[in-house]
């Protein structure tokens, strides 16, 4: 037994390296977006296409696996084994890193987007493999501990990613003028070195997985469940989204459009309408699927369960709000009323935003160690501040000014109160954190300066436990469709590719500060899901208060 445990732990430590990569690259986009905006003369919507390319790849990758498996009538990923799935994903991301070096040398924004898409396509394959793989490396009763550990490593990657990319782009000089720096011919050169290192790490990790004798191949016992109607619906949603964004992209090839709406900053209501339409396609497409499945469940697979479909919209909304707050934060902080913060000076704020997720996930992992009730209460207060100190320390040693972040400790106290009110119950905690997120965004909308900055950054604190909560609630009661439902949920990472561009387009029309009403709506839905899913599952005779929080994206 001891040997088996050590073997599984060794395999887990190898596995969680990929969780770090996802966080590192995804969070660094918060610094890369304002740089690309200045470098290539983009509007806010165009700059958000970085998120569209990155998170859209997660959706496309998971959808293609589902389609190919449906055609083959077998789970392709399971036939490979989770280990081989991760290796293939790492190799694909390695190619994407090499592609990024080529894109940077060419100085092409379109190629940079394509390279990010390929990197994230590899991440999609890794993510679809790694989460069930981590859960399988031991007893089911301790799966949450392994997923929380992986989520904590992911969050550490999100914390240092913005700092490393900031140093790669700007050096350690705070307050560099991003517009002047971006105009330099060599401003992208360090990205070549960064992605050469990242690509090397991807390749090294793939080699490590290949030669590791302690890492099992990893396969599920679940059989593949066909869902042809669900597949056709998802394909229809995809084609509609491709058509909308293809038309939006084509407009940027029109010199008259560039002059009127980009250079002269005229309002682009057609572009706004089309971007809103992309959101509605996803929302109403999924609601239509569930409504139709209720009348005739044959062919819909997991989509006949309302907790899953509403949970898919929950993951879509959660990833969207998590990403859009930080992706637009650089533009917000660069405005005069927010202090004109830009360049390398942005890194501590982006890092603290992503560090806020780490603070919450570390606190959420406390119950894994089965402390006594009194010790748990003490740790719920101590652990978040230890994580807060780690974020400050990482920024300090990188040469950043962390003075403006000290008072953020008061906001952490609000999150701690939320944990006590949530009582480790996923639906209750999700509802409370959704309401707290709404409150934070409303305060940010109604104020400026430090108070507003803290309010917007608090979104990271309240997003921190949402992935595991939504995931656990959405797959509850699915039975033989659990594996399929999990794949559908991973597809909904697409929210990170739809909501930020919508936010960016709205900011081009009404202003960046005012556009932060978008996160208010997102948090409102997440609070609603936490409230509604309890009643949905109760009708299925399921007591959700016994569901254990696990995992982290």
């Amino acid at each position: 037994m001891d040997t088996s445990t050590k073997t599984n732990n060794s395999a887990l430590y190898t596995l969680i390296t990929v969780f770090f990569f996802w966080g590192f690259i995804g969070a660094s986009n918060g610094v890369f977006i304002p740089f690309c905006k200045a470098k290539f003369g983009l509007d806010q919507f165009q700059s958000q296409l970085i998120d569209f390319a990155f998170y859209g790849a997660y959706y496309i990758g998971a959808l293609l696996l589902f389609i190919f498996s449906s055609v083959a009538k077998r789970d392709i990923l399971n036939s490979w084994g989770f280990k081989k799935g991760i290796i293939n994903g790492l190799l694909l991301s390695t190619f994407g890193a090499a592609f990024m070096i080529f894109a940077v040398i060419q100085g092409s924004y379109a190629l940079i987007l394509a390279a990010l898409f390929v990197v994230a396509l590899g991440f999609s394959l890794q993510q679809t493999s790694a989460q069930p793989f981590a859960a399988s490396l031991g007893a089911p009763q301790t799966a949450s501990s392994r997923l929380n550990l992986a989520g904590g490593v992911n969050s550490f990657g999100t914390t240092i990613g913005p700092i490393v990319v900031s140093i790669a782009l700007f050096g350690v000089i705070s307050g560099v003028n991003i517009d002047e720096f971006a105009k330099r011919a060599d401003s992208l050169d360090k990205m070549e070195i960064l992605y050469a290192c990242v690509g090397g790490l991807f390749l090294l990790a793939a080699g490590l997985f290949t030669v590791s004798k302690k890492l099992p191949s990893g396969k599920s016992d679940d059989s593949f469940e066909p869902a042809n109607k669900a597949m056709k619906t998802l394909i229809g949603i995809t084609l509609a989204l491709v058509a909308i964004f293809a038309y939006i992209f084509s407009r940027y090839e029109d010199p008259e459009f560039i002059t009127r709406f980009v250079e002269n900053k005229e309002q682009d209501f057609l572009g706004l309408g089309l971007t809103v339409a992309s959101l509605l396609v996803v929302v109403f497409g999924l609601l239509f699927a569930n409504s139709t499945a209720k009348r005739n469940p044959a062919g819909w697979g997991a989509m006949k369960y309302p907790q899953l479909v509403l949970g898919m919209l929950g993951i879509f909304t959660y990833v969207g709000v998590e990403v859009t707050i930080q992706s637009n934060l650089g533009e917000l902080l660069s405005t005069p009323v927010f202090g004109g913060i830009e360049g390398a000076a942005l890194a501590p704020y982006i890092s603290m935003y992503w560090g806020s997720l780490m603070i919450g996930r570390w606190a959420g992992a406390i119950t894994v160690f089965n402390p006594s009730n009194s010790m748990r209460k003490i740790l719920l207060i101590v652990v978040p501040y230890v994580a807060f100190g780690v974020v400050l320390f990482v920024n300090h040693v990188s040469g950043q000014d962390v003075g403006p972040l000290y008072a953020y400790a008061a906001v952490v106290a609000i999150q701690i109160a939320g944990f006590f009110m949530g009582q480790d119950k996923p639906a209750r905690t999700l509802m409370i954190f959704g309401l707290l997120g709404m409150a934070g965004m409303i305060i940010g909308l109604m104020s400026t300066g430090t108070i507003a900055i803290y309010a917007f950054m608090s979104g990271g604190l309240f997003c921190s436990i949402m992935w595991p909560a939504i995931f656990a609630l959405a797959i509850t009661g699915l039975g033989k469709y659990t594996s399929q439902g999990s794949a559908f949920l991973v597809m909904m990472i697409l929210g990170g590719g739809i909501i930020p561009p919508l936010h960016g387009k709205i900011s081009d029309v009404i202003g960046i500060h005012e556009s932060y009403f978008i996160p208010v709506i997102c948090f409102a839905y997440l609070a609603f899901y936490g409230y509604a899913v309890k009643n949905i599952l109760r009708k299925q005779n399921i007591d959700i208060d016994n569901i254990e929080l696990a995992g982290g994206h």
Side-chain angles (χ1 to χ4, degrees), residues 16-24 27 58 127 147-160 318 322 354 357-358 361 552-553:
I16 60 177
T17 57
V18 296
F19 284 78
F20 175 84
F21 291 143
W22 307 336
F24 180 92
Y58 277 88
Q127 174 121 324
L147 290 169
N148 272 309
L149 175 61
V153 172
N154 173 270
S155 294
F156 183 67
T158 64
T159 301
I160 70 171
Y318 150 70
E322 176 188 87
W354 287 111
L357 277 91
M358 184 176 78
R361 288 172 182 170
H553 169 69

Side-chain angles (χ1 to χ4, degrees), residues 281-300:
V281 163
V282 176
V283 173
F284 287 107
L286 291 178
L287 293 179
F288 166 79
N290 184 244
S291 175
T292 306
K294 285 181 180 178
R295 295 192 295 270
N296 182 13
W300 285 103

Side-chain angles (χ1 to χ4, degrees), residues 45 48 51-53 55-56 59 237 241-242 244-245 274-283 316 319-320 323-324 492-505 518:
F45 168 77
Q48 295 303 311
D51 283 332
F52 175 75
Y55 292 99
Y59 171 74
I237 290 173
L241 292 176
V242 169
I244 289 170
F245 277 93
L274 290 170
T275 313
V276 171
S278 69
L279 177 66
L280 297 179
V281 163
V282 176
V283 173
F316 179 89
V319 177
V323 173
T324 201
M492 290 299 103
I493 293 176
L494 172 68
I498 298 293
I499 293 177
L502 172 62
H503 190 166
K505 178 56 73 176
I518 291 292

Side-chain angles (χ1 to χ4, degrees), residues 57 118 169 201 217 238 303 342 375 454 496 520 522 529 540 548:
V118 176
L169 285 172
L201 288 173
S217 61
T238 305
M303 278 195 186
E342 57 181 15
M375 178 58 68
Y454 283 4
V520 177
C522 292
Y529 180 67
Q540 301 173 24
E548 186 178 6

Side-chain angles (χ1 to χ4, degrees), residues 8 39 101 143 182 185 208 222-223 339 352 423 426 468:
N8 285 341
K39 176 70 176 178
I101 296 172
L208 185 62
D222 295 338
S223 59
M352 180 56 75
Q423 301 174 352

